[in-house]
Amino acid sequence: MTAGEGKLIGDETAGKPFSAPCAIFIPPDAVHGFQFARGSEGIVATVLADRLALPRASDRAFSEYFTKSRIVPMEGETAGEAAHLQRLFPQLLEEHGNAAVLGRDWLLDMHVTEILVRLARVGVRTSTPEPQGSSSSDSRRLLALETLIAAHFREHRPVAFYAEKIGVSVAQLNRIARREAGASVSRLLARRLIDAARRDLVFTPTPVQAIAYSLGFQDPAYFNRFFRRQTGTTPGVYRETQRRRLAS
């Protein structure tokens, strides 16, 4: 936010006040609203939840930071990061408008990741203690798992494939995933597939059948059932609902 002030409305009925210069982070699925004073200005960037995977996997403190709505002041001790963010947001908008330029999606991912990391740096203290039972080796294994999932999720590999690559048993890998990420390996794989499907459904004109094949599903009908089981709705209904929401 570059000018003005307002309140972030969420679980607290009174709302949390904010004023420029600041940045506001809203996590996926958070119920929220805003009350802006007249004359307020700023940039709004909406990204799909899978963009959080890499920064969240890289550091447990970052992972915790991204679970809650945050109001990040951009002045005083945070002025250095603010200068970087003031440069990154315009670059993100400019690159987003270059639809036909080679490498556009890669650069968008890089800009989004850097913005998220710099926002988290402001609020995360390096001395934040790790949760009981966690270890640096398990954190590294989770990061390795996230990296492998990003590379192979379209291949529908069994959990044993990831366990072998990381050098642990299937049971141990599932214990690490549940402790470090709050979900089993199978659940993390399903989330990655659903995140990719959601992105393609909302932001591309690709037919649902083609999206199913691109995500490694041999049977589009099974993809429909998988998507509905994970989200509670069909791919077609999800696409229509989300596009109507974005248009409004």
Side-chain angles (χ1 to χ4, degrees):
M1 185 172 179
T2 56
E5 60 183 11
K7 287 185 179 180
L8 170 61
I9 309 300
D11 293 335
E12 299 178 10
T13 55
K16 297 179 180 180
F18 56 82
S19 59
C22 71
I24 301 172
F25 171 79
I26 306 296
D29 300 323
V31 177
H32 68 283
F34 295 102
Q35 291 179 348
F36 290 107
R38 187 181 298 275
S40 297
E41 295 181 357
I43 296 173
V44 178
T46 303
V47 298
L48 292 177
D50 64 336
R51 298 302 88 193
L52 287 170
L54 183 58
R56 289 187 68 172
S58 66
D59 191 290
R60 288 192 58 81
F62 279 8
S63 181
E64 171 62 23
Y65 188 82
F66 289 129
T67 62
K68 300 178 181 178
S69 298
R70 308 286 183 176
I71 298 172
V72 185
M74 290 285 121
E75 56 187 353
E77 295 180 358
T78 63
E81 296 296 345
H84 287 291
L85 289 167
Q86 288 170 359
R87 168 180 55 84
L88 286 168
F89 275 110
Q91 288 180 355
L92 180 69
L93 291 176
E94 180 181 359
E95 194 63 36
H96 185 268
N98 296 331
V101 174
L102 181 66
R104 167 181 176 267
D105 290 344
W106 284 104
L107 281 179
L108 286 175
D109 282 351
M110 291 169 60
H111 287 323
V112 168
T113 300
E114 184 174 357
I115 287 170
L116 290 170
V117 170
R118 291 191 179 278
L119 282 175
R121 275 183 177 180
V122 175
V124 174
R125 297 180 179 178
T126 57
S127 60
T128 301
E130 291 189 339
Q132 186 177 4
S134 179
S135 69
S136 59
S137 61
D138 283 351
S139 295
R140 289 194 297 271
R141 285 167 177 157
L142 179 65
L143 176 58
L145 175 61
E146 292 279 2
T147 302
L148 286 168
I149 287 175
H152 298 285
F153 73 95
R154 298 174 191 270
E155 301 168 12
H156 296 249
R157 300 272 191 166
V159 176
F161 166 82
Y162 297 95
E164 181 180 359
K165 290 287 186 182
I166 294 172
V168 297
S169 69
V170 169
Q172 185 179 359
L173 185 60
N174 271 315
R175 283 196 297 271
I176 292 170
R178 289 191 178 96
R179 184 170 59 241
E180 300 289 317
S184 67
V185 179
S186 296
R187 181 59 182 153
L188 293 177
L189 287 164
R191 286 178 183 172
R192 189 65 177 82
L193 283 165
I194 289 298
D195 285 342
R198 284 171 168 163
R199 182 177 63 248
D200 289 346
L201 287 167
V202 176
F203 297 112
T204 76
T206 308
V208 172
Q209 184 177 32
I211 291 175
Y213 289 135
S214 74
L215 293 175
F217 290 88
Q218 301 300 314
D219 180 5
Y222 176 71
F223 167 68
N224 282 4
R225 293 194 297 272
F226 171 81
F227 190 93
R228 184 165 190 169
R229 186 165 63 248
Q230 298 294 326
T231 67
T233 189
T234 65
V237 171
Y238 177 84
R239 166 176 272 173
E240 180 181 353
T241 301
Q242 293 301 310
R243 287 184 172 177
R244 187 165 57 243
R245 182 181 64 84
L246 289 173
S248 63

